[in-house]
Amino acid sequence: MLQLTLKACSSASAKSARVAPRTSNGGNRNAGTGGTSTSVITKVKPKAKRPNLYRVLILNDDYTPMEFVVHVLEKFFQKDAEAATKIMLHVHHHGIGECGVFTYEIAETKVTQVMDFARKHQHPLQCVMEKK
């Protein structure tokens, strides 16, 4: 059986403890080599990883009224009338436009809300998300 003995560091600035490995008979494992072996135990603080971000995009179609798209951008993405109109015109001219960038769960919720709202109002508006 292996026993570990903790010894406090003599230096006041050291914040960790040293460990001297011992054998089951209580002797030092490295006694035959002429020196003692010590290890330093340090606390590792786990680093939180930032969540992946996803772009929520609206796709252009020939049937959804521009006013409806502006309304969706105001209602679900908290855009003011000017910003919503600018995004809507970008979608109209380029076929696709970014509504916002969110974490996965929020992006997924926004896409679902927009799609449900469009279907409820009988519009074929498409909203998708892609990893940024």
Side-chain angles (χ1 to χ4, degrees), residues 73 78-89:
L73 291 166
Q78 290 70 46
K79 303 292 182 186
D80 58 29
E82 186 179 336
T85 302
K86 188 176 180 179
I87 294 170
M88 178 273 300
L89 287 173

Side-chain angles (χ1 to χ4, degrees), residues 51-123:
N52 292 324
L53 297 177
Y54 292 80
R55 299 169 61 202
V56 176
L57 307 167
I58 286 186
L59 307 177
N60 189 38
D61 65 72
D62 294 333
Y63 303 102
T64 304
M66 293 179 177
E67 296 80 17
F68 183 78
V69 175
V70 170
H71 179 67
V72 164
L73 291 166
E74 292 172 340
K75 180 177 176 78
F76 297 106
F77 299 97
Q78 290 70 46
K79 303 292 182 186
D80 58 29
E82 186 179 336
T85 302
K86 188 176 180 179
I87 294 170
M88 178 273 300
L89 287 173
H90 187 273
V91 171
H92 181 69
H93 292 295
H94 296 95
I96 193 167
E98 182 179 289
C99 305
V101 178
F102 308 95
T103 59
Y104 181 83
E105 291 82 8
I106 294 172
E108 185 178 44
T109 301
K110 298 247 184 221
V111 168
T112 303
Q113 288 173 333
V114 169
M115 295 293 287
D116 290 346
F117 189 71
R119 297 300 160 266
K120 180 181 172 187
H121 289 87
Q122 300 176 347
H123 294 297

Side-chain angles (χ1 to χ4, degrees), residues 5-11 14 16-21 37-41:
T5 305
L6 294 176
K7 295 180 182 179
C9 290
S10 61
S11 172
S16 58
R18 295 183 185 190
V19 176
S37 174
T38 59
S39 298
V40 177
I41 298 174

